[in-house]
Amino acid sequence: SRECQSSLRPDRRRKPSATMTHLKYVSHTVVCQEVPDEISLVINIGGCPHHCAGCHSSYLAEDVGDPLLDNLDDLLTKYGHMVTCVCYMGGDHNLDELYTALYHTKALGFKTCLYSGRSDIDELDMVLPLLDYIKIGPYIEERGGLSSKITNQVMYRHKNGVLFNITDRFWKEMA
């Protein structure tokens, strides 16, 4: 919507690249397992550039879906009373639009999370100040996801400019 798009601080705007695609959301759901201690509206974003072998959401590699920024206000209005956090599954292929979405989400009082297949968190420094949680790392089938103790993926809690590794919160003890 116009409200969401206009909430971008002018100092963060960059001229879009000719090859940059707009963020499109494919689906959404309300869950409790993606972000510890939060009830999250998970927004699945298409166009994932990582193409991880064995990915459980490989359909997100396709450039499909509805424009995220045009629909974000409707999603937040519809589910906002049910959730404490908005978790973006992807979107790191267009950091300008992701910044806009995160800025708008934070301005409405929600915590924010990003699941990224990138390995280098420094590549996300533009959006990091707007994140309360961030998962980084591609899915490597033989290492598993966050619930695996040998995963390469890392989940951080970002608080007061400090990253805290909370990956072990996803590990269940075997009886």
Side-chain angles (χ1 to χ4, degrees), residues 23-81:
L23 294 185
K24 299 173 189 168
Y25 85 95
V26 178
S27 59
H28 60 277
T29 188
V30 174
V31 300
C32 295
Q33 74 271 13
E34 301 296 349
V35 182
D37 304 322
E38 305 291 346
I39 300 170
S40 300
L41 171 61
V42 171
I43 301 175
N44 295 303
I45 299 175
C48 178
H50 305 294
H51 306 280
C52 303
C55 175
H56 70 352
S57 301
S58 59
Y59 66 96
L60 294 178
E62 298 175 36
D63 186 22
V64 296
D66 296 315
L68 175 65
L69 297 181
D70 291 346
N71 293 283
L72 186 58
D73 280 330
D74 291 340
L75 288 171
L76 297 177
T77 299
K78 184 174 183 177
Y79 296 100
H81 68 284

Side-chain angles (χ1 to χ4, degrees), residues 2-10 13 99-101 103-105 107:
R2 284 189 172 84
E3 284 179 40
C4 178
Q5 292 176 5
S6 67
S7 70
L8 178 60
R9 289 186 5 224
R13 287 189 181 133
Y99 181 94
T100 301
Y103 187 83
H104 186 68
T105 303

Side-chain angles (χ1 to χ4, degrees), residues 133-167:
Y133 301 91
I134 183 169
K135 189 281 305 177
I136 61 165
Y139 178 74
I140 298 175
E141 205 164 3
E142 53 274 4
R143 308 261 328 256
L146 288 171
S147 63
S148 169
K149 289 186 179 184
I150 62 167
T151 188
N152 62 296
Q153 298 179 327
V154 181
M155 173 67 98
Y156 292 104
R157 171 75 164 106
H158 185 227
K159 191 170 185 175
N160 299 321
V162 179
L163 291 170
F164 299 92
N165 185 334
I166 60 167
T167 309

